[in-house]
Amino acid sequence: REREQAKREEEREAREREIRIEMGKETLAILQKQKDEEERLAAQKLEERRAREAEAEKRRVQEERDKEQKEEIARKEALRVLAEQRTLHASAPDAPPPPASPAHGGDAN
């Protein structure tokens, strides 16, 4: 009779161990899922941040190009105006300068 009780006690303890092992496996699986999800979210955030940074860099480069292009257009326009003035001056080298009018700060007398 004692042997039967000892055998039942061993079986009960074995079942409890199996249950604890299964619960441990389930807990580990849950923890692993949580870890995987956290890593996925971190990777997603990093990817989104990199995409925003790349977009900002692209905008910055485009703005720099636009600025350089506007400056080049302004330089060309200034050179064109200067060349036009030189051409006009060269075509009439003996012409006196325009008379100063009182409206422009000159002396009428």
Side-chain angles (χ1 to χ4, degrees):
R1 186 169 179 184
E2 233 176 78
R3 285 173 64 177
E4 282 182 30
Q5 185 154 351
K7 186 177 179 182
R8 282 195 297 270
E9 184 67 24
E10 277 183 35
E11 289 173 356
R12 185 184 63 76
E13 287 175 2
R15 281 194 306 275
E16 286 177 359
R17 270 195 306 274
E18 287 177 24
I19 290 171
R20 283 194 301 272
I21 289 171
E22 285 303 311
M23 288 175 64
K25 287 179 182 178
E26 289 173 11
T27 301
L28 285 175
I30 290 169
L31 292 173
Q32 185 62 47
K33 283 182 183 179
Q34 288 175 342
K35 181 181 175 194
D36 292 347
E37 182 64 11
E38 288 171 0
E39 288 175 355
R40 186 190 68 74
L41 288 173
Q44 181 181 353
K45 284 182 181 180
L46 179 61
E47 184 178 323
E48 289 169 356
R49 189 183 96 222
R50 286 182 178 162
R52 284 191 307 273
E53 289 172 352
E55 192 60 36
E57 178 65 12
K58 192 190 311 183
R59 277 194 309 274
R60 187 193 66 74
V61 167
Q62 186 60 47
E63 287 169 0
E64 185 69 26
R65 284 185 190 145
D66 292 349
K67 180 182 173 187
E68 289 173 359
Q69 192 174 30
K70 286 178 184 177
E71 289 171 353
E72 182 63 25
I73 290 169
R75 276 193 297 277
K76 287 180 179 179
E77 180 63 15
L79 288 173
R80 185 192 65 74
V81 168
L82 185 59
E84 191 176 288
Q85 288 173 350
R86 286 183 181 160
T87 302
L88 288 175
H89 182 67
S91 66
D94 298 332
S101 69
H104 289 57
D107 187 12
N109 295 346

